[in-house]
Amino acid sequence: MTALTEPAEAETDPDAAARPGLIREFLLVAGLFLVYKLGRQLATGHTLRAFHNAHGVWDLERSLRLPRETAVQSALLHSDTLVHAANTYYATVHFPATLAFLVWLYLRRPAHYVWARRVLAAVTAAALVLPFTFPLAPPRMLGGTGLVDTARIYGPSVYGPPAHDHLSNQFAAMPSLHFGWALMVAIGLITATRSRWRPLWLLHPLLTLLVIVGTANHYWLDALAATAMLGVALALLRPPDRTTTRMGRGPGRIVPRQRVLAGAAR
């Protein structure tokens, strides 16, 4: 045998071998989302520090000459439809988009799924530490900035009054996992796919950034902190080689020369 190809049926699909068990992964991902919600709730009760830190973040952004969040919000407030769409995006896209991303990778790119799940878990775990050490009130609560709570005024809103909100910690603005997860979705899809249009996935984190800032739920520095955490996680957790993970697809896939020579010797 001298050819360098062999039928696909002759060996096991490497994707199937890389795909972890469905029940185990369902429990792991469900646990990730649960830890995200419960962990933020545990860091409540630091209201005074949260507002003190908020003024410090606002002043730091001005000293760094970052754009004012009010510029983005002013653009949204030109249209009731636009601001309502931004509030809806904030309230409804975060979890479903991340879950859809993980499901697609699990089904189509198992090796990349394992990598992405580990990165998201690492970023989420690191992000849960900051509310304990650096509680932060979101800009919508900060007086003297010219910002308004767009969700409360125009709807829909995912938060109730902070004193009676037992489902979330509203003083955990930094880092923005809305942005961190959205950026990982884009990076994961760009890494795992080959389409020349794949850079367009970066529109998701870009739109998310404009939404979280324009609705006054986050500062620019919240997104920068999430980006830094994601960068560290990506540096420590390397993605699988795309060429290796895609070997074995198609009836005439390329196989290593050593395998061919071994077959010819039989």
Side-chain angles (χ1 to χ4, degrees), residues 60-145:
L60 178 59
E61 287 188 340
R62 305 293 75 81
S63 65
L64 294 174
R65 300 189 181 278
L66 293 177
R68 286 182 176 267
E69 288 82 352
T70 49
V72 181
Q73 187 171 93
S74 296
L76 290 181
L77 293 178
H78 277 97
S79 166
D80 288 358
T81 301
L82 189 59
V83 70
H84 188 272
N87 292 332
T88 302
Y89 192 94
Y90 180 85
T92 62
V93 173
H94 177 46
F95 283 109
T98 307
L99 182 59
F101 162 68
L102 290 173
V103 170
W104 186 86
L105 286 183
Y106 180 85
L107 296 174
R108 301 297 299 274
R109 305 288 191 275
H112 283 86
Y113 162 80
V114 173
W115 162 69
R117 187 248 294 151
R118 288 172 178 169
V119 171
L120 285 172
V123 171
T124 302
L128 293 177
V129 175
L130 268 182
F132 290 96
T133 59
F134 192 79
L136 182 66
R140 58 187 165 81
M141 295 183 182
L142 197 60
T145 63

Side-chain angles (χ1 to χ4, degrees), residues 15-206:
D15 278 358
R19 184 178 293 113
L22 178 60
I23 300 300
R24 172 178 173 271
E25 290 306 308
F26 174 81
L27 293 176
L28 283 173
V29 173
L32 174 64
F33 283 89
L34 184 62
V35 168
Y36 168 75
K37 296 298 292 182
L38 293 180
R40 291 169 69 90
Q41 292 180 42
L42 292 175
T44 58
H46 305 288
T47 305
L48 291 179
R49 284 184 59 201
F51 279 100
H52 174 76
N53 291 335
H55 285 287
V57 167
W58 183 265
D59 292 341
L60 178 59
E61 287 188 340
R62 305 293 75 81
S63 65
L64 294 174
R65 300 189 181 278
L66 293 177
R68 286 182 176 267
E69 288 82 352
T70 49
V72 181
Q73 187 171 93
S74 296
L76 290 181
L77 293 178
H78 277 97
S79 166
D80 288 358
T81 301
L82 189 59
V83 70
H84 188 272
N87 292 332
T88 302
Y89 192 94
Y90 180 85
T92 62
V93 173
H94 177 46
F95 283 109
T98 307
L99 182 59
F101 162 68
L102 290 173
V103 170
W104 186 86
L105 286 183
Y106 180 85
L107 296 174
R108 301 297 299 274
R109 305 288 191 275
H112 283 86
Y113 162 80
V114 173
W115 162 69
R117 187 248 294 151
R118 288 172 178 169
V119 171
L120 285 172
V123 171
T124 302
L128 293 177
V129 175
L130 268 182
F132 290 96
T133 59
F134 192 79
L136 182 66
R140 58 187 165 81
M141 295 183 182
L142 197 60
T145 63
L147 293 165
V148 299
D149 186 344
T150 61
R152 181 178 59 82
I153 297 173
Y154 297 93
S157 176
V158 295
Y159 302 119
H164 304 287
D165 188 356
H166 302 296
L167 298 178
S168 60
N169 177 14
Q170 297 188 46
F171 300 109
M174 182 178 289
S176 171
L177 284 181
H178 264 76
F179 180 74
W181 285 12
L183 185 57
M184 181 55 203
V185 168
I187 292 174
L189 290 172
I190 290 172
T191 303
T193 58
R194 294 181 176 182
S195 169
R196 62 176 179 173
W197 300 105
R198 66 186 187 277
L200 292 177
W201 286 113
L202 291 171
L203 292 175
H204 174 46
L206 176 60

